[in-house]
Amino acid sequence: MTELQSFGLRLVDPSAGAASRRGGAGPSDHKAVTVDGHTIMVPVHTSTAWNSPFTAQAPDATGHSTITRGTIPIASISFPKQPRFTKMQTFDGVPYSHIATLHGSDVLATTVLQTCIRYESRRKTCQFCAIGQSLAAGRTIARKTPEQLAEVARAAVLLDGVKHMVLTTGTPNATDRGAQILCESAFAIKAAVDIPIQGQCEPPDDDQWFHRMKAAGIDTLGMHLEVVTPSVREKIMPGKASVPISRYMSAFEAAVGVFGRGQVSTYILAGLGDTREAILAICDQLLALGVYPFVVPFVPISGTPLEDHPAPTPEFMKSILEPLGQRVAAANLRSSDIKAGCGKCGACSSLSVYES
């Protein structure tokens, strides 16, 4: 799994399983693949994937496929099916697929606000981010209303058995940083359907927002560091780096006090310049606070400034994930105990496999 996520996968039949995503927020240029009962997101549209040693043969009538390395079969896989809810549209005529998408095999995910103050300027933008690509291509809408999100969430639960939901957002301002938008969205969704929700935003300026988000129906919170070395943060994500790591740490501590140990997480993108030692050191600090450190391999997305940046090697990822999995288990902060969100899904990293 670690090798697949580093090298990517070539597809004999690109239409197999649920549709892959190009550009946009979240895991882009990926396809969901189930290996030994564990669904992971594997790059299929990146330059790395085009040169991958791994090829997925066309699936048979039951949806199963074989991965080969050269001519040698090495694994049997399957592809999660296209969800039924995506064939519908909202009462006001917007395709459900423009409101939310399926991540992994049972997670509904949406970018509530598809614009960001960081993305507006190439001097400030996160160099790896493609949040504006799907909007420019007409595959989504700029702002999903609470009513639209509630309608789609209810349909996804009823039609496709979705188990939890991720609400992320572009950063709209330098104060609440999207917390209010998440509150409005979660409140409407929870009024329509009982589904665990993770909200994701930058740390708001006021810790009271954590109480408001919890009261609105958000069960877990993600505040994503992405890069952990200050000098690398300034280079890779100059706008977001204006919120210092010290603020993230104080926000993590306050959020854990509201949501509980293991119900606050952060995304860390390995392969952007942080050393193994730097990533593991900050993960130790996060675990001590009760925060789940979700370390994932960087994926170079086409059309971004880092589209030609190499993906991390499997050896580099294993050197982080193996000891981190042991530390996560020792801290009793396993992904399986998270109520909702990226860490619980685990599809963008093989970390959860190392926890056992």
Side-chain angles (χ1 to χ4, degrees):
M1 295 181 192
T2 304
E3 289 183 335
L4 278 176
Q5 291 191 316
S6 289
F7 290 133
L9 182 64
R10 290 183 291 152
L11 303 172
V12 170
D13 180 7
S15 66
S20 55
R21 297 178 60 233
R22 290 179 182 267
S28 299
D29 292 9
H30 287 65
K31 183 179 279 287
V33 176
T34 301
V35 185
D36 292 333
H38 189 91
T39 300
I40 57 175
M41 302 299 289
V42 178
V44 295
H45 296 304
T46 64
S47 57
T48 304
W50 299 334
N51 297 299
S52 173
F54 300 109
T55 302
Q57 303 302 316
D60 60 22
T62 66
H64 288 82
S65 170
T66 298
I67 290 182
T68 58
R69 185 165 193 159
T71 59
I72 303 173
I74 60 170
S76 177
I77 63 169
S78 60
F79 298 96
K81 295 180 180 179
Q82 184 70 16
R84 288 180 287 179
F85 79 86
T86 57
K87 299 178 181 178
M88 303 172 66
Q89 65 180 26
T90 64
F91 292 124
D92 50 355
V94 179
Y96 277 11
S97 60
H98 286 38
I99 305 297
T101 59
L102 186 73
H103 285 194
S105 60
D106 60 5
V107 186
L108 186 67
T110 183
T111 304
V112 180
L113 184 67
Q114 202 81 30
T115 59
C116 179
I117 60 172
R118 315 295 189 201
Y119 195 80
E120 306 297 328
S121 167
R122 275 300 175 195
R123 292 185 299 104
K124 298 179 180 179
T125 188
C126 299
Q127 302 293 295
F128 50 78
C129 183
I131 190 173
Q133 287 187 11
S134 53
L135 182 61
R139 297 193 300 269
T140 187
I141 58 176
R143 172 70 188 269
K144 290 80 171 176
T145 68
E147 294 76 18
Q148 289 170 331
L149 292 168
E151 183 183 340
V152 174
R154 186 172 186 272
V157 170
L158 294 176
L159 295 176
D160 297 288
V162 162
K163 298 293 193 300
H164 53 114
M165 187 171 185
V166 174
L167 301 177
T168 189
T169 179
T171 301
N173 56 53
T175 52
D176 72 75
R177 299 194 172 98
Q180 181 173 340
I181 291 172
L182 296 179
C183 287
E184 296 167 355
S185 304
F187 188 83
I189 293 165
K190 282 293 181 74
V193 63
D194 183 17
I195 184 173
I197 296 173
Q198 179 176 66
Q200 298 179 354
C201 64
E202 294 183 44
D205 60 341
D206 184 352
D207 289 346
Q208 285 301 312
W209 279 110
F210 301 136
H211 295 277
R212 295 169 190 147
M213 286 191 276
K214 178 73 170 177
I218 292 174
D219 299 282
T220 72
L221 180 66
M223 294 185 289
H224 299 335
L225 284 165
E226 269 116 9
V227 181
V228 304
T229 306
S231 61
V232 182
R233 287 173 67 82
E234 298 254 349
K235 177 182 177 182
I236 298 293
M237 35 194 271
K240 192 171 180 179
S242 64
V243 183
I245 291 178
S246 58
R247 171 54 191 147
Y248 273 85
M249 289 303 184
S250 65
F252 286 139
E253 185 174 10
V256 169
V258 175
F259 293 94
R261 280 178 50 81
Q263 305 307 322
V264 178
S265 63
T266 191
Y267 229 89
I268 296 174
L269 299 173
L272 286 175
D274 289 318
T275 65
R276 168 188 181 273
E277 291 73 21
I279 292 174
L280 289 174
I282 203 161
C283 286
D284 285 339
Q285 296 177 48
L286 293 164
L287 290 169
L289 290 172
V291 175
Y292 183 82
F294 191 47
V295 177
V296 308
F298 162 70
V299 175
I301 298 174
S302 301
T304 67
L306 293 181
E307 64 179 358
D308 294 323
H309 188 91
T313 65
E315 292 74 24
F316 181 70
M317 292 309 304
K318 290 175 185 176
S319 75
I320 296 171
L321 297 179
E322 188 168 12
L324 180 56
Q326 296 171 359
R327 296 177 196 187
V328 166
N332 199 26
L333 292 173
R334 292 179 177 85
S335 59
S336 57
D337 295 327
I338 303 174
K339 296 175 184 177
C342 293
K344 181 176 182 63
C345 170
C348 290
S349 172
S350 55
L351 175 58
S352 62
V353 177
Y354 292 92
E355 292 172 19
S356 57

